[in-house]
Amino acid sequence: MLRSSTTAWASKRASHMQYRALGKTDLEVSVVAFGASPLGGVYGFTGPEEGKRAVHLAIDEGINFFDVSPYYGHGLAEYRLGAALQGRRNKVILATKCGRYGANEFDFSAHRVFASMDESLDRLNTDYVDLLFAHDVEFGDLSQIVEETIPAMRRLQELGKTRYIGVTGFPLRTLIDIARKVPVDAILSYCHYNLLADDLDAVLAPVAESRGIGLINASPLHMGMLTEQGAPDWHPAPKEMREAARSAVEFCKHRGCDISDLALRFCFDYPKVATTLVGMATREQVLKSLRAFEALADPQMVRKVRAIIAPVFNRFWSSGREENQ
Ligand code: NAD
């Protein structure tokens, strides 16, 4: 059923994907990007064959930016993405990460960065990535990130193993602190610009713009919270936030609107980021995200949802070391 409807829908259309420059790099990334953490089972079981078909469909439909990490499924997401990209590597812009290897497993030493790069390239079945990020830097010692991790990543750039480098993390101030101390090409921020939060716009975007740093907005669905399925058990948001999101989901549902479509459309329209990373592992999710990209914006519905979630808007949870909050 899915196969025939997928093929019919996909073959009827030419790709309308749009592309934006990522900061000062020469990378032109699709506005809709493929977050590969679900390929590592982060949101529950996903079949490897379906994941591969989802990657192929995304490429065929013009999605050219893929993000992964050794952390997602302890290497599984990289391994599956690498297998799916066989013969298609030159069609995509590929990002992976270093420094985070488990819920509480971090190592930002230069030694580990070098080893991690080779392990990732091996799993991804390629000899270079386009972007290498230090993953969730707020869990590290910031002086080590600045003086050791990033210089090691620049060395990997000189060696041709990555084309550009960047940092990812949750507290915006930590990302800014690092970017002020040492040049980075890109910053990946998550859960700071979507229907539940917008402080990326006032806090991070001006710094990125003034320094020519490419901005990537991840988790437009607030890591599953803005979906009819709801947030996974491990989601760190406080209970009131989950409840408010659930009310917004139900509100939309009663009006015949899928909150995920609304949330994605809202993020894709935001011009200060180069791309929005959506976590996907099935063709159905790829198609749904692409339909959201092509749908008409609904500012009235966005206002109504924002009113429901107003009490928890821009509410965050702590992540990382105390001194990095
Ligand atoms: P997300 O907000 O994209 O939500 C993912 C969830 O939404 C999954 O359960 C998925 O099945 C579901 N989904 C996907 N498309 C959908 C659609 N069209 N309609 C309804 N549901 C849909 O959260 P995410 O996956 O955490 O973030 C996206 C990507 O960003 C990740 O895969 C990862 O690559 C990256 N990311 C990086 C960091 C970091 O570096 N620290 C943190 C978060 C996310």
Side-chain angles (χ1 to χ4, degrees):
M1 171 63 191
L2 176 64
R3 179 170 295 184
S4 56
S5 59
T6 298
T7 315
W9 185 82
S11 62
K12 260 193 264 155
R13 59 196 296 281
S15 174
H16 298 295
M17 186 47 60
Q18 290 162 16
Y19 302 84
R20 295 181 191 151
L22 183 68
K24 288 195 288 201
T25 73
D26 66 352
L27 305 174
E28 291 271 333
V29 288
S30 48
V31 168
V32 183
F34 194 114
S37 69
L39 291 182
V42 169
Y43 288 90
F45 174 79
T46 53
E49 278 310 308
E50 180 54 29
K52 188 188 262 187
R53 291 190 194 110
V55 169
H56 294 175
L57 177 65
I59 295 171
D60 292 345
E61 290 298 318
I63 293 178
N64 75 352
F65 182 46
F66 289 74
D67 173 73
V68 71
S69 163
Y71 171 44
Y72 305 148
H74 294 279
L76 183 63
E78 284 189 326
Y79 178 76
R80 286 186 173 167
L81 183 59
L85 291 179
Q86 274 242 301
R88 292 172 169 85
R89 170 67 187 93
N90 63 358
K91 294 186 174 187
V92 304
I93 293 169
L94 181 58
T96 194
K97 314 195 182 85
C98 60
R100 181 165 202 173
Y101 304 98
N104 296 306
E105 239 181 278
F106 297 88
D107 187 345
F108 291 99
S109 67
H111 176 74
R112 190 73 190 93
V113 168
F114 292 132
S116 186
M117 179 84 266
D118 288 340
E119 290 160 17
S120 288
L121 292 178
D122 196 37
R123 282 190 291 263
L124 287 165
N125 206 9
T126 183
D127 50 11
Y128 76 99
V129 292
D130 297 279
L131 266 161
L132 178 67
F133 288 107
H135 195 171
D136 291 342
V137 284
E138 71 272 21
F139 287 90
D141 166 358
L142 292 201
S143 52
Q144 183 186 36
I145 304 277
V146 169
E147 288 157 26
E148 183 177 342
T149 315
I150 290 178
M153 293 163 75
R154 287 289 181 206
R155 178 74 191 126
L156 289 171
Q157 186 181 27
E158 285 161 16
L159 293 171
K161 295 190 180 191
T162 183
R163 297 196 57 218
Y164 297 101
I165 66 140
V167 288
T168 85
F170 189 61
L172 298 181
R173 290 283 165 205
T174 308
L175 297 169
I176 291 171
D177 268 7
I178 293 174
R180 285 199 170 126
K181 287 183 178 136
V182 61
V184 293
D185 307 312
I187 293 180
L188 185 162
S189 153
Y190 67 100
C191 291
H192 280 278
Y193 192 91
N194 57 44
L195 291 181
L196 282 161
D198 72 352
D199 64 337
L200 177 147
D201 186 60
V203 180
L204 182 58
V207 179
E209 198 187 350
S210 69
R211 286 164 192 265
I213 298 170
L215 261 191
I216 295 163
N217 185 27
S219 308
L221 303 173
H222 225 64
M223 302 195 293
M225 226 152 104
L226 296 169
T227 65
E228 292 189 352
Q229 198 185 336
D233 291 343
W234 51 257
H235 202 295
K239 190 163 156 267
E240 315 84 78
M241 203 168 179
R242 284 164 173 262
E243 286 171 358
R246 178 47 58 193
S247 304
V249 169
E250 293 304 322
F251 172 83
C252 289
K253 213 167 161 183
H254 284 127
R255 276 151 191 81
C257 159
D258 182 324
I259 197 161
S260 303
D261 299 348
L262 190 76
L264 289 174
R265 175 75 238 192
F266 177 78
C267 290
F268 298 151
D269 277 340
Y270 180 55
K272 294 186 194 170
V273 297
T275 183
T276 297
L277 270 168
V278 192
M280 302 184 282
T282 66
R283 285 169 295 171
E284 207 172 341
Q285 287 160 357
V286 172
L287 289 179
K288 202 163 168 292
S289 301
L290 288 167
R291 284 197 201 104
F293 173 68
E294 294 187 348
L296 287 176
D298 190 344
Q300 210 184 343
M301 197 64 173
V302 167
R303 272 197 297 279
K304 287 178 181 166
V305 167
R306 279 268 164 97
I308 294 169
I309 58 183
V312 295
F313 191 66
N314 274 336
R315 174 138 0 139
F316 303 106
W317 49 90
S318 76
S319 171
R321 295 182 178 200
E322 214 167 297
E323 72 263 23
N324 295 335
Q325 298 310 301

